[in-house]
Amino acid sequence: MTKMQFVNFCTKYSVAKWNKHSFLRRIFREIAQRIILHHIRHDTVLKLVIQITKLQGGVNLYPWPYCVKNSKSGFAGASEYAFAPWSCCDDDAIVGDCFGNYVIRHSTSYCAALIYYATGKILSENRQHAKKWVATLAANGFSEVVKRPINGGYYIGVAPHIGQYGQLYWFEYVSEDCRDSLRYMCSTYENDEYQQCLIRADSKDIKWVKIA
């Protein structure tokens, strides 16, 4: 059994769809999340990438195994190479991460992971949906709301009016390629996929919170 297969086994039986015993679900979840966090803490390649990019280089730094959505082989059924290859649309199949138990492959989980990389902090207070993350970040020690992010700093954009639960954006850098208006290059997870996007600096729908 590979590490991914074992983590998938523990993760599968940490959700109610396949395990009706709450006590056993907690045990399986704890095992899976500890393995994942241990892997992340000892991933020297990831640390090197972070040091080179300073988290601003447009590189998808959402860690293993959360970023592994599709089978390496490309064949249906070869799910041992994909993490949690089932749909999380059902409430009883939702998988939480090790950075605050946020739903994997969502903007909250992605930004929580980058906060961990930037500061070493795992969010533990006032965990809520993306639309309420200004309060969540403040409760975890990140209370500085700024008018605009600047290159070299770590910022999260909170857009509470996008979708049912809101959307988060990780600031990458100020784009110099847009002639009509100032824009920010950001990254996020949307529809379970890594996305890069340009956000207008004059947008009134996003609040920027400084992380570091």
Side-chain angles (χ1 to χ4, degrees), residues 39-55:
H39 174 86
I40 291 168
R41 285 172 171 165
H42 292 82
D43 189 341
T44 56
V45 174
L46 181 60
K47 288 180 180 178
L48 180 61
V49 171
I50 291 170
Q51 290 171 0
I52 293 173
T53 64
K54 304 298 183 184
L55 301 180

Side-chain angles (χ1 to χ4, degrees), residues 73-88:
S73 70
F75 293 102
S79 59
E80 65 269 22
Y81 293 110
F83 178 68
W86 55 84
S87 172
C88 287

Side-chain angles (χ1 to χ4, degrees), residues 6-23:
F6 182 68
V7 170
N8 258 338
F9 175 84
C10 293
T11 301
K12 182 175 182 178
Y13 290 101
S14 73
V15 299
K17 186 171 184 177
W18 290 284
N19 187 349
K20 302 303 181 184
H21 302 283
S22 60
F23 176 72

Side-chain angles (χ1 to χ4, degrees), residues 158-212:
V158 181
H161 304 301
I162 294 180
Q164 182 179 358
Y165 302 111
Q167 185 73 18
L168 303 178
Y169 298 97
W170 184 267
F171 171 77
E172 299 279 352
Y173 56 85
V174 178
S175 176
E176 298 178 353
D177 298 329
C178 302
R179 298 179 181 179
D180 56 337
S181 64
L182 186 66
R183 296 175 189 251
Y184 305 135
M185 179 63 75
C186 299
S187 57
T188 189
Y189 257 73
E190 192 171 6
N191 298 321
D192 290 348
E193 299 287 349
Y194 172 75
Q195 307 280 348
Q196 278 195 297
C197 53
L198 283 169
I199 295 177
R200 292 176 62 99
D202 58 2
S203 174
K204 304 297 184 183
D205 297 326
I206 298 178
K207 288 188 176 181
W208 295 99
V209 180
K210 185 174 182 179
I211 303 303

